[in-house]
Amino acid sequence: MLAILTVACAGMGSVWTHALGPPLLVTQTEVVATEAADPEEEPVEGEAAAASPALAAEPVADPDPADRPVAAPVAESAMGESVSAMEEVKATDVEAHGEMDSAIAESGPAAGAQTWVIQKTREQTTTGDKSRPWHASGSVEFRTLAISDEDPANDRYLSLQLRGDFDVFEGARAFVRFSGTQQFTAEVGESGFLLQDTMVGLDYGHEVALDFVPIEALAGKKLELEHRLALYFPTSRQSINQDKYFAPMLMSRARYSVLESLVVGVDAFARYHFHRYAERAGPSGGLNTQLDMFGSLGVEYTVFSHKEYGTVSQHGISSPIPLGRSTSQRVAQRPTGTNVTTGTFTPPTRRSLT
Amino acid sequence: MTVVLGIETMGEHRRDGIIASGSGSGNGIPRFFGQRDDTELFLQVLGRY
């Protein structure tokens, strides 16, 4: 059993985000326990490297195997066990801490299991056993407010995810992901389980050497990059109520290890929503979002790390920094006075562009 | 399999897509780091094959 302790810190992240972004900071503290991989199935160093070009290029011995996929390189002799351990633990957070898109999801608690954590880079392409081209993963997360009120059921939920992926080429994996939320409260006659939007897409991770930058401090350093191209399909209630067809998204993430224990990162995210109607249902539904673009900044500092006992690190993440947003103008407007639940829509009429 | 136990503050604020601007969250309630209703505990169990 490998245990990793990760502690989020406010201070450093706070400085970062206040200087460069909206003054909102998300911090996280984690204790991670990971079952050691089966030695027979554990990929050898070469296999792990083959599955992850970044690792192949430069083996990474991370003092924090759980959370630091972009950790600064250290002596290869220190790597043996930690590469596989790192890969194992990294993989666990593929979806649990995955994306900014979920972080800015419009559907509230459903995104709970996907809080973005800065150091989770490259996990998308290192999931699971490297000897197989396909992988499956799943997660269950329980969340609750730290301080409960008299009616805590409203503040607790389970977030569930299932993912299957397949190696397409080196560093790239096609995937499909299903997710849902189990609420502990529900309207009369309704289920507490809410299916979320289903995602199908491609993850690709790679590294860029920074040797070309004429700065001595960057010699030998690398920039870790991850990209995701995916489609959301409207399997959530909210998307169905908005008459959404699908929503392509593009996300890129960059991570840079300033020091062995200090990692900074940037996320950029864009999503385009295809709706049947420009407006949402209801008298005050408003216009559907057509395009949203966000950026986010983050920083992480590892205070303590031990291969067996865990890691203490601090991370802070800025709130999504809006880069652009628009509402629907080119799709048909929902006919006035109709109700989505009655199914009494008349054929949509095209709205003239203004 | 991995088990994660954690604490997070202001994550819900972020997940809901609320962009803080200065001292307000958009509803007139001042937000600050570590606010009790912005702090969550979570427990994850993750598995992969």
Side-chain angles (χ1 to χ4, degrees), chain A:
Chain A
M1 202 69 151
L2 175 66
I4 294 97
L5 170 66
T6 304
V7 180
C9 167
M12 185 178 298
S14 182
V15 171
W16 174 270
T17 55
H18 278 259
L20 300 176
L24 172 61
L25 174 70
V26 178
T27 64
Q28 218 174 50
T29 301
E30 296 179 353
V31 180
V32 184
T34 303
E35 184 178 347
D38 184 344
E40 294 183 358
E41 294 188 356
E42 193 170 299
V44 297
E45 185 174 323
E47 291 173 334
S52 175
L55 289 176
E58 183 171 0
V60 177
D62 195 330
D64 174 6
D67 296 322
R68 297 275 326 286
V70 292
V74 296
E76 188 170 350
S77 59
M79 260 235 14
E81 298 179 4
S82 62
V83 164
S84 55
M86 175 181 66
E87 297 251 313
E88 286 293 317
V89 183
K90 277 190 301 184
T92 64
D93 288 313
V94 170
E95 298 304 334
H97 297 283
E99 306 122 27
M100 188 174 177
D101 51 43
S102 297
I104 60 173
E106 298 169 352
S107 53
Q114 298 158 356
T115 301
W116 185 82
V117 176
I118 185 171
Q119 78 282 28
K120 297 301 189 296
T121 185
R122 212 203 290 147
E123 71 271 22
Q124 293 162 346
T125 54
T126 56
T127 304
D129 186 349
K130 303 301 178 299
S131 64
R132 297 187 182 93
W134 57 270
H135 311 85
S137 59
S139 71
V140 178
E141 176 179 351
F142 171 73
R143 275 187 176 257
T144 182
L145 286 178
I147 301 174
S148 297
D149 55 23
E150 296 177 352
D151 184 18
N154 289 324
D155 303 321
R156 297 173 178 173
Y157 62 92
L158 283 172
S159 182
L160 313 167
Q161 280 196 357
L162 281 175
R163 168 176 162 142
D165 54 38
F166 186 84
D167 293 339
V168 180
F169 55 89
E170 191 171 273
R173 282 185 175 174
F175 70 91
V176 57
R177 190 186 77 186
F178 305 93
S179 56
T181 302
Q182 177 65 54
Q183 313 275 3
F184 294 100
T185 58
E187 297 293 331
V188 177
E190 293 191 354
S191 169
F193 178 78
L194 298 175
L195 191 64
Q196 301 303 311
D197 285 345
T198 299
M199 185 189 293
V200 177
L202 180 72
D203 289 334
Y204 176 62
H206 63 108
E207 289 184 341
V208 175
L210 298 177
D211 295 333
F212 66 92
V213 180
I215 299 175
E216 186 177 349
L218 297 180
K221 296 279 190 174
K222 292 184 177 179
L223 189 66
E224 301 252 349
L225 297 171
E226 282 184 356
H227 314 284
R228 167 172 289 184
L229 179 63
L231 277 177
Y232 286 93
F233 291 97
T235 51
S236 69
R237 170 181 289 187
Q238 184 177 26
S239 293
I240 292 172
N241 286 345
Q242 294 176 4
D243 302 293
K244 185 179 291 184
Y245 289 135
F246 59 92
M249 61 83 75
L250 179 64
M251 179 183 69
S252 288
R253 314 171 72 187
R255 299 290 182 270
Y256 174 70
S257 296
V258 180
L259 303 170
E260 182 174 333
S261 57
L262 179 64
V263 179
V264 295
V266 177
D267 278 12
F269 167 85
R271 180 169 50 183
Y272 193 93
H273 306 263
F274 287 91
H275 293 94
R276 181 180 183 187
Y277 299 106
E279 294 175 340
R280 297 177 182 178
S284 58
L287 290 173
N288 283 319
T289 298
Q290 191 173 41
L291 172 68
D292 49 11
M293 300 170 64
F294 292 87
S296 190
L297 306 171
V299 60
E300 177 189 295
Y301 181 70
T302 300
V303 178
F304 169 81
S305 179
H306 190 279
K307 207 163 48 178
E308 296 182 9
Y309 300 114
T311 298
V312 178
S313 65
Q314 313 165 328
H315 25 124
I317 308 158
S318 78
S319 63
I321 302 167
L323 303 176
R325 185 180 178 91
S326 67
T327 54
S328 300
Q329 293 184 348
R330 298 188 179 187
V331 297
Q333 298 293 300
R334 182 183 299 280
T336 303
T338 58
N339 187 315
V340 69
T341 60
T342 62
T344 57
F345 295 122
T346 55
T349 55
R350 282 286 170 190
R351 179 189 186 190
S352 59
L353 300 178
T354 55

